[in-house]
Amino acid sequence: MAKFLAELLGCTLPSKGASPMFESKSHSRVGLKSSTKQKEQQWKPPMYSSITPVCFTSPLIEKPIGKESMPQTPPFSAMFDSSGYNRNLYQSAEDSCGGLYYHDNNLLSGSLEALIQHLVPNVDYYPDRTYIFTFLLSSRLFMHPYELMAKVCHLCIEHQRLSDPNSDKNQIRKIAPKILQLLTEWTETFPYDFRDERMMRNLKDLAHRIASGEETYRKNVQQMIQCLIRKLAALTQYEEVLAKISSTSTDRLTVLKTKPQSIQRDIITVCSDPYTLAQQLTHIELERLNYIGPEEFVQAFVQKDPLDNDKSCYSERKKTRNLEAYVEWFNRLSYLVATEICMPVKKKHRARMIEYFIDVARECFNIGNFNSLMAIISGMNMSPVSRLKKTWAKVKTAKFDILEHQMDPSSNFYNYRTALRGAAQRSLTAHSSREKIVIPFFSLLIKDIYFLNEGCANRLPNGHVNFEKFWELAKQVSEFMTWKQVECPFERDRKILQYLLTVPVFSEDALYLASYESEGPENHIEKDRWKSLRSSLLGRV
């Protein structure tokens, strides 16, 4: 995990000569005429206001009140806007409620115990959904999910007297639907937490206490658990498919040694239409996005809680690796693009392949699939491809220049962020499922969340949880949650999908060898490397 993060957080858009996902200091092909740029874009995105994470030191006035009258956290639509955390949603008294500190009715901080108490409903109170999501997302920075579940179960059972056979049945009828709703939101939004047997055991125990004696509740509990089991089974099946694909992957050079290139297929023979290929790439992107749990963004950066003397780091907590698998897909697509370009023997075929991928990338932009777009640009900017000067001389690069300008990393990817805001706005007002698609450049999204996490402490000097930070974190992750739930509107083509996911690709060394075989070395360094690669990979001198 440490190596994965180190590679990921160093990434910018690779320039000519860079490998996917690794930082490059130089960048080419970014000069554009504005008139050309306007023709290429399908929407006019508004200016994007980037969010800079900061630590707030708001004045707080302590004034104890009962939990029933606690200020409610506002909904996402009102609380999270393009400028970040909205601190003036309601105008009411400044409070400190049983260890929770508010300013202008916005929850800023609190002790961990008070925040847990605030999660648990009672007869007169149910936590706002935005609070539930934000706390369940961020609490794993301080404790294991199974520990939180145990505390929630204890509070529900003891405080609401669910364990008392003589307790008021009317009281239980009032509180049971609220507890069931909390459990349902947890299982629907963070289902992967329940891969832990301790979580499932506590869930079933509390659900059984709620359902005993009430047929309606019993049916709802069964429905909740069955839905959860289906989600976990789907995840297991998905992981098995990924493992199978990974285990059967072969280096393209190995295939070429046993199978003449004349009978090798390339991407154009499988899918001659670049628009169709862009649609199939979108299928893969949305499917893989859909399996990433919101907690994986937090788990990737978890450190040891400074107030926790006993627990180790996150190794025990991590139950999935869908986030890493998605980044691996980005790298595979970049290498696939480079392989398809370097493999043809004839210069005109290589030029045709470059123009084909430029059209694919352009359609990805129009769809809103920025992750595939960036992977394709990364593949075409790898050194084995960029050094093919005779090939590039035959390519009409105007469209490629426009795409590179859109994904230019300068000014913290300002152009890309503007286009992303435009796609997000289009999604909100969409009249068709196609217009709803927003697939962000994923590595940059992770990088943003990483710096948000690193830019402000999890705890304040008094030991309280810095909840204002976690509103910001939840804002970024919740937007992703909306995007990942979009269903792909395009028809699936199994043949094309199979090729994209399983066709062997060149390793970096094999790419250089293919590049040198196509257009010979230009200097002594390249010539020495070519000889070395021919010897090691082909057994030739």
Side-chain angles (χ1 to χ4, degrees):
M1 174 59 82
K3 182 180 178 183
F4 162 73
L5 288 177
E7 293 175 354
L8 189 61
L9 296 173
C11 76
T12 64
L13 171 64
S15 347
K16 297 289 184 192
S19 297
M21 305 297 295
F22 290 85
E23 186 170 0
S24 174
K25 294 182 179 178
S26 62
H27 187 75
S28 61
R29 300 182 178 275
V30 295
L32 285 180
K33 293 182 180 178
S34 58
S35 59
T36 309
K37 175 183 173 184
Q38 289 173 355
K39 290 179 184 177
E40 294 296 319
Q41 289 182 306
Q42 279 201 339
W43 63 78
K44 293 182 179 179
M47 293 297 101
Y48 175 73
S49 301
S50 58
I51 302 168
T52 304
V54 293
C55 296
F56 299 92
T57 54
S58 305
L60 301 168
I61 301 175
E62 196 163 331
K63 178 180 157 190
I65 60 175
K67 185 171 183 178
E68 293 79 2
S69 58
M70 277 187 172
Q72 285 290 290
T73 51
F76 275 124
S77 58
M79 189 182 70
F80 295 146
D81 62 16
S82 62
S83 62
Y85 183 75
N86 188 339
R87 304 181 59 199
N88 298 295
L89 293 163
Y90 305 106
Q91 298 300 323
S92 68
E94 309 83 358
D95 317 295
S96 168
C97 314
L100 298 179
Y101 288 82
Y102 292 82
H103 180 71
D104 287 341
N105 230 39
N106 291 324
L107 176 60
L108 298 185
S109 69
S111 67
L112 188 56
E113 286 300 321
L115 292 168
I116 295 171
Q117 290 268 2
H118 195 46
L119 179 69
V120 178
N122 61 32
V123 173
D124 304 307
Y125 163 80
Y126 187 78
D128 190 272
R129 292 193 70 186
T130 56
Y131 177 78
I132 294 172
F133 176 77
T134 304
F135 185 67
L136 291 180
L137 178 69
S138 58
S139 63
R140 60 201 70 234
L141 288 165
F142 307 99
M143 62 196 308
H144 292 265
Y146 79 85
E147 293 173 315
L148 176 60
M149 174 61 85
K151 286 180 176 290
V152 168
C153 289
H154 174 75
L155 290 171
C156 289
I157 293 168
E158 295 302 318
H159 290 196
Q160 308 309 323
R161 300 175 63 191
L162 296 180
S163 59
D164 185 356
N166 299 319
S167 59
D168 185 353
K169 296 297 182 184
N170 289 329
Q171 181 91 349
I172 293 177
R173 288 192 186 98
K174 289 180 181 178
I175 188 61
K178 295 182 178 181
I179 296 175
L180 184 57
Q181 178 62 26
L182 176 64
L183 296 178
T184 300
E185 291 198 39
W186 196 334
T187 57
E188 287 181 351
T189 312
F190 299 92
Y192 303 162
D193 285 350
F194 295 87
R195 280 189 143 184
D196 189 324
E197 292 180 3
R198 295 165 293 192
M199 288 286 293
M200 191 65 84
R201 190 163 53 244
N202 279 325
L203 172 68
K204 290 181 177 179
D205 177 61
L206 183 56
H208 173 72
R209 292 176 185 273
I210 293 171
S212 59
E214 291 286 344
E215 184 62 27
T216 304
Y217 300 153
R218 190 179 297 115
K219 288 181 179 178
N220 290 340
V221 165
Q222 289 175 348
Q223 185 178 2
M224 174 187 69
I225 292 177
Q226 287 170 0
C227 182
L228 174 61
I229 290 172
R230 282 196 298 270
K231 286 186 177 182
L232 295 179
L235 173 63
T236 300
Q237 187 177 13
Y238 169 70
E239 289 173 337
E240 289 171 354
V241 170
L242 290 184
K244 186 175 180 180
I245 291 173
S246 178
S247 65
T248 56
S249 62
T250 313
D251 181 74
R252 190 68 160 258
L253 191 61
T254 306
V255 177
L256 285 175
K257 287 179 180 178
T258 59
K259 195 174 182 181
Q261 188 162 340
S262 59
I263 60 172
Q264 287 278 323
R265 290 188 305 167
D266 65 18
I267 189 73
I268 295 179
T269 62
V270 175
C271 178
S272 60
D273 181 13
Y275 300 98
T276 301
L277 188 72
Q279 293 172 359
Q280 298 309 304
L281 288 172
T282 303
H283 261 296
I284 296 172
E285 298 280 354
L286 286 174
E287 180 184 55
R288 298 207 170 195
L289 276 183
N290 187 54
Y291 280 100
I292 298 173
E295 72 280 358
E296 293 190 60
F297 291 100
V298 175
Q299 291 169 183
F301 310 120
V302 164
Q303 302 292 328
K304 191 174 187 293
D305 185 357
L307 297 188
D308 187 345
N309 297 320
D310 300 320
K311 300 187 189 80
S312 60
C313 281
Y314 201 82
S315 57
E316 185 189 345
R317 304 185 199 185
K318 188 161 177 57
K319 302 294 179 185
T320 54
R321 60 177 309 276
N322 302 314
L323 190 147
E324 293 93 328
Y326 189 51
V327 173
E328 288 166 6
W329 154 250
F330 178 99
N331 285 337
R332 171 181 166 77
L333 179 55
S334 295
Y335 273 87
L336 174 61
V337 169
T339 298
E340 296 286 345
I341 293 171
C342 289
M343 199 171 61
V345 175
K346 293 185 177 180
K347 181 169 49 182
K348 66 178 182 180
H349 292 162
R350 293 193 298 274
R352 177 179 153 212
M353 188 66 74
I354 290 173
E355 291 181 342
Y356 173 84
F357 276 117
I358 291 172
D359 287 337
V360 174
R362 184 183 180 188
E363 182 61 15
C364 285
F365 178 87
N366 291 335
I367 289 172
N369 180 357
F370 298 104
N371 202 58
S372 289
L373 165 63
M374 185 66 87
I376 292 169
I377 294 176
S378 297
M380 289 195 284
N381 277 332
M382 292 175 71
S383 290
V385 177
S386 64
R387 65 169 299 278
L388 299 172
K389 295 177 182 177
K390 295 176 183 177
T391 302
W392 279 97
K394 289 187 167 291
V395 175
K396 297 175 182 178
T397 59
K399 289 184 287 187
F400 187 56
D401 292 340
I402 291 166
L403 293 172
E404 280 204 309
H405 178 74
Q406 285 295 330
M407 308 307 283
D408 179 10
S410 62
S411 301
N412 194 20
F413 286 89
Y414 177 81
N415 293 340
Y416 158 70
R417 293 183 190 277
T418 302
L420 180 67
R421 287 295 95 193
Q425 191 63 38
R426 180 183 69 174
S427 180
L428 290 174
T429 58
H431 299 292
S432 67
S433 53
R434 173 176 173 141
E435 291 177 337
K436 291 181 180 179
I437 297 172
V438 183
I439 303 173
F441 174 30
F442 195 66
S443 298
L444 187 60
L445 174 64
I446 297 174
K447 197 171 184 178
D448 287 344
I449 292 173
Y450 173 81
F451 284 116
L452 170 60
N453 184 55
E454 292 295 304
C456 197
N458 292 337
R459 290 188 185 268
L460 300 178
N462 64 356
H464 279 197
V465 173
N466 182 7
F467 212 74
E468 193 162 14
K469 167 184 174 177
F470 296 123
W471 288 130
E472 290 285 357
L473 179 64
K475 174 194 177 297
Q476 292 203 18
V477 176
S478 67
E479 191 170 38
F480 164 80
M481 292 288 288
T482 301
W483 296 337
K484 88 184 189 90
Q485 291 167 0
V486 174
E487 288 195 20
C488 191
F490 308 119
E491 186 177 346
R492 293 174 67 93
D493 188 311
R494 292 186 177 276
K495 181 180 68 173
I496 299 172
L497 291 172
Q498 180 79 4
Y499 186 90
L500 289 169
L501 291 169
T502 64
V503 69
V505 298
F506 283 152
S507 65
E508 187 171 5
D509 282 345
L511 281 173
Y512 272 106
L513 177 59
S515 180
Y516 293 142
E517 295 286 338
S518 298
E519 295 186 19
E522 295 183 346
N523 53 53
H524 290 297
I525 295 175
E526 286 191 346
K527 194 169 184 179
D528 290 342
R529 184 169 190 183
W530 181 36
K531 289 179 180 179
S532 175
L533 290 172
R534 283 176 66 87
S535 176
S536 60
L537 298 180
L538 300 179
R540 300 176 188 169
V541 178

